[in-house]
C-alpha cells in the first residue's frame, strides 16, 4: 500500500509592495515576492479528499497583504518571521510554516545632490532573500538571510596554480587571471524564541546585510586570490567574527570563466600572456564552488 511520506503546500510568487510615510515627509518603499509553504496534519487532504483541513492558498496570499499592513515589513527578516508565525498561531493543525521573502532593490535617488524624498531606482540586480521557518514543536523561528545574484569581476589580482594534475589535466596554472562570479551568500541566525525577539533585533539584521555586502566586495577586491575556495572561506570567517548572532555562513560562487584568445592568426597579433587584452567570456560550463562555515 502506498504511503504519503511528505506533503506540504502553499502560495508562491505573491507580489507585495508597501510604502511607509515617514513623519519628516519622506517615504520609504519595499517590494517583495513572497512564498508561503505549510506542513502539519494535512495528510487526509491528499489521501481522502478532506478539504476541511485545507487553508486555501488564496487565504495564504491574502494573509501576506494583511500581515504587511499590520506589521513593519522592514527589515524583511521581521516580515518573513511575522508571516510564518501567524500560520502557527492561527491554525492548530499546521506545525511548520516556511516563508520566503525576496526583496527587490529600490534605492533612494540622489537628485541635485540630495536624497529624494519619494523617488527610487534599481541600482543592482542582486536580491535580498529571507527564509523564515516557524515550528510549533521547536517553539522557535529559524531565519536564514541571503544575498543572491551580486555580479562582480576583477581584472587582475587572482591566481590559480599548484592544483592536482594527472593524465586528464590540460588546464595551465595561472598567476594572473580574471575572476568573476555571481555571489550567493547566506547567513543563518541562532533561532529566535518569538517574533518579538526578531523585532528587537531589527537593527542587527540591517547591519549584518550591509556587513556581508561590504565584506564580500572588499575581500573580493583587495585580496590576491589564490582560489575561489580560499577567498570565499575568508569571507565566511569575517562574517562570523563580525556578527555574533550568525551561527553559519554559506557561499555559492560560480567561477565565470574568461578565456584568452589567441589572435596570432591575424598578422601575428599578440594577445596571450602578458599581451592579453581581448578575452572571450564563457556562458557555460562554469566552475561551481560551495561552502558552509559554522561557528
Ligand atoms: N578553483 C578555482 O578558483 N579555480 C579553478 C578551479 C577551482 O577549483 N578549478 N579550475 N579553476
Amino acid at each position: 500500500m502506498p504511503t504519503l511520506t511528505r506533503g506540504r503546500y502553499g502560495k508562491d510568487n505573491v507580489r507585495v509592495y508597501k510604502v511607509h510615510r515617514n513623519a519628516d515627509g519622506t517615504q520609504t518603499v519595499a517590494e517583495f515576492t513572497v512564498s508561503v509553504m505549510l506542513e502539519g496534519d494535512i495528510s487526509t487532504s491528499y489521501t481522502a479528499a478532506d478539504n476541511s483541513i485545507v487553508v486555501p492558498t488564496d487565504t495564504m496570499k491574502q494573509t501576506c497583504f494583511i500581515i504587511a499592513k499590520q506589521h513593519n515589513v522592514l527589515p524583511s527578516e521581521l516580515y518573513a518571521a511575522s508571516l510564518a508565525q501567524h500560520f502557527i498561531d492561527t491554525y492548530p493543525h499546521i506545525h511548520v510554516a516556511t516563508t520566503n521573502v525576496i526583496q527587490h532593490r529600490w534605492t533612494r535617488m540622489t537628485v541635485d545632490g540630495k536624497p529624494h524624498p519619494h523617488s527610487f531606482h534599481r541600482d543592482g540586480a542582486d536580491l535580498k532573500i529571507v527564509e523564515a521557518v516557524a515550528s510549533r514543536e521547536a517553539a522557535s523561528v529559524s531565519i536564514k538571510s541571503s544575498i543572491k545574484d551580486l555580479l562582480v569581476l576583477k581584472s587582475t589580482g587572482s591566481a590559480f596554480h599548484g592544483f592536482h594534475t594527472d593524465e586528464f589535466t590540460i588546464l595551465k596554472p595561472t598567476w594572473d587571471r580574471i575572476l568573476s562570479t555571481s555571489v550567493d551568500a547566506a547567513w543563518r541566525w541562532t533561532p529566535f524564541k518569538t517574533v518579538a525577539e526578531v523585532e528587537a533585533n531589527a537593527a542587527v539584521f540591517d547591519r549584518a546585510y550591509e556587513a556581508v555586502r561590504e565584506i564580500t566586495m572588499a575581500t573580493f577586491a583587495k585580496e590576491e586570490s589564490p582560489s575561489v575556495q580560499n577567498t570565499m572561506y575568508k569571507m565566511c570567517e569575517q562574517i562570523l567574527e563580525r556578527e555574533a548572532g550568525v551561527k553559519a555562513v554559506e557561499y555559492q560562487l560560480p567561477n565565470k570563466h574568461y578565456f584568452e584568445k589567441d589572435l596570432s592568426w591575424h598578422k601575428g597579433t599578440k594577445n596571450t600572456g602578458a599581451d592579453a587584452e581581448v578575452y572571450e567570456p564563457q556562458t557555460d560550463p562554469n566552475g561551481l564552488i560551495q561552502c558552509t562555515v559554522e561557528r
Side-chain angles (χ1 to χ4, degrees):
M1 166 140 155
T3 311
L4 179 79
T5 52
R6 190 179 187 204
R8 65 174 198 160
Y9 78 110
K11 200 69 150 187
D12 198 10
N13 294 311
V14 182
R15 305 281 313 276
V16 179
Y17 165 93
K18 186 174 184 184
V19 61
H20 185 74
R21 299 186 180 87
N22 305 307
D24 64 0
T26 64
Q27 303 195 348
T28 302
V29 300
E31 183 171 338
F32 306 111
T33 302
V34 181
S35 113
V36 175
M37 295 298 288
L38 302 183
E39 295 168 69
D41 297 328
I42 56 172
S43 60
T44 53
S45 68
Y46 293 84
T47 58
D50 177 8
N51 285 348
S52 69
I53 51 168
V54 178
V55 177
T57 67
D58 186 69
T59 303
M60 298 183 202
K61 172 181 149 182
Q62 307 309 336
T63 307
C64 294
F65 298 123
I66 299 294
I67 296 295
K69 179 73 181 170
Q70 292 176 340
H71 295 259
N72 284 332
V73 295
L74 293 176
S76 52
E77 283 86 350
L78 179 57
Y79 180 38
S82 307
L83 191 56
Q85 190 59 43
H86 166 87
F87 293 102
I88 300 298
D89 293 344
T90 309
Y91 307 107
H93 67 294
I94 297 301
H95 302 317
V96 179
T98 303
T99 56
N100 193 274
V101 174
I102 302 171
Q103 185 174 355
H104 305 282
R105 285 181 81 77
W106 283 127
T107 302
R108 192 174 296 283
M109 279 188 196
T110 300
V111 178
D112 298 333
K114 287 183 296 205
H116 195 271
H118 58 251
S119 295
F120 306 85
H121 66 125
R122 182 136 312 156
D123 63 345
D126 58 303
L127 300 166
K128 180 183 177 195
I129 305 179
V130 172
E131 183 189 81
V133 182
S135 160
R136 185 178 303 287
E137 196 187 340
S140 69
V141 188
S142 300
I143 297 181
K144 181 172 88 165
S145 310
S146 58
I147 292 175
K148 196 174 172 336
D149 298 338
L150 177 64
L151 189 58
V152 291
L153 177 147
K154 67 194 289 188
S155 50
T156 187
S158 167
F160 188 61
H161 49 81
F163 47 82
H164 179 90
T165 58
D166 56 30
E167 70 272 27
F168 287 176
T169 308
I170 61 165
L171 184 70
K172 298 269 176 292
T174 177
W175 281 260
D176 184 10
R177 66 173 179 176
I178 295 164
L179 185 58
S180 177
T181 189
S182 175
V183 177
D184 286 3
W187 50 108
R188 288 182 184 276
W189 298 89
T190 304
F192 298 89
K193 292 257 170 301
T194 60
V195 173
E197 203 186 318
V198 175
E199 190 154 21
N201 276 281
V204 176
F205 295 119
D206 283 337
R207 186 187 68 201
Y209 170 76
E210 293 304 334
V212 171
R213 258 180 94 86
E214 191 261 309
I215 288 168
T216 299
M217 291 209 263
T219 309
F220 182 82
K222 288 195 223 164
E223 209 222 0
E224 287 293 320
S225 171
S227 65
V228 174
Q229 284 89 333
N230 186 245
T231 297
M232 75 206 297
Y233 179 75
K234 285 181 181 152
M235 293 171 181
C236 295
E237 269 185 326
Q238 292 174 71
I239 293 164
L240 288 172
E241 198 179 304
R242 185 92 68 91
E243 290 299 337
V246 171
K247 65 173 187 149
V249 184
E250 298 163 21
Y251 269 78
Q252 166 161 292
L253 301 181
N255 190 1
K256 294 176 164 285
H257 307 299
Y258 286 68
F259 286 172
E260 273 188 22
K261 284 303 283 179
D262 182 351
L263 301 180
S264 58
W265 54 270
H266 181 71
K267 301 176 185 171
T269 304
K270 291 187 175 148
N271 191 57
T272 55
D275 297 311
E277 290 176 297
V278 174
Y279 293 77
E280 188 169 30
Q282 304 295 301
T283 41
D284 52 67
N286 57 271
L288 185 62
I289 320 289
Q290 302 175 327
C291 75
T292 302
V293 181
E294 296 190 33
R295 195 170 285 289

